């Protein structure tokens, strides 16, 4: 094995600098990544964010999404949307078709 191998890279440590608990399963937007909290992270505490995998996330019900579409996380409204904008960060790609009206969509995060 290569001597410079560090880690599988499936998760990153994260310190909750906010005033509210981050609940297990919540999306956390970082500069160039989104992560999913694996356990509750109380304010001021540290935890692990999963940065790989396919996750069922809440979606904007006004838009249909197809496999391969780029997906974005709306940090203000806490849902997946189809276009970038203010307070919206890249989240990954759609991993299963979702019709308009569907409340969730499967996203391969950070892809």
């Amino acid at each position: 094995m290569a001597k410079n191998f560090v880690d599988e890279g499936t998760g990153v440590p994260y310190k909750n600098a906010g005033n509210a608990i981050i609940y297990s399963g919540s999306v956390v937007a970082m500069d160039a990544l989104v992560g999913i909290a694996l356990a509750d992270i109380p304010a001021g505490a540290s935890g692990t964010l999963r940065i790989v995998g396919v996750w069922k996330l809440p979606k904007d019900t006004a838009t249909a999404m197809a496999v391969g579409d780029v997906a974005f996380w709306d940090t203000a409204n806490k849902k997946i949307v189809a276009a970038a904008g203010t307070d919206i960060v890249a989240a990954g790609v759609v991993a299963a078709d979702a019709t308009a009206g569907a409340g969730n969509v499967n996203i391969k995060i950070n892809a």
Side-chain angles (χ1 to χ4, degrees):
M1 176 175 262
K3 294 181 181 180
N4 57 341
F5 178 79
V6 177
D7 184 42
E8 293 291 336
T10 61
V12 294
Y14 183 80
K15 177 157 176 125
N16 181 358
N19 295 324
I21 190 169
I22 297 171
Y23 291 101
S24 175
S26 295
V27 175
V28 177
M30 297 171 278
D31 289 332
L33 293 170
V34 293
I36 309 294
L38 293 179
D40 293 349
I41 307 172
S46 294
T48 299
L49 301 179
R50 183 79 173 210
I51 57 171
V52 298
V54 176
W55 299 83
K56 182 189 288 187
L57 300 175
K59 142 187 146 21
D60 176 16
T61 57
T63 306
M65 302 184 90
V67 171
D69 287 351
V70 177
F72 299 88
W73 182 250
D74 181 335
T75 60
N77 296 303
K78 308 287 187 222
K79 62 185 172 183
I80 291 291
V81 295
T86 304
D87 296 324
I88 297 175
V89 298
V93 296
V94 175
D97 293 343
T99 61
N104 294 297
V105 61
N106 293 346
I107 301 296
K108 180 169 178 42
I109 62 172
N110 302 313

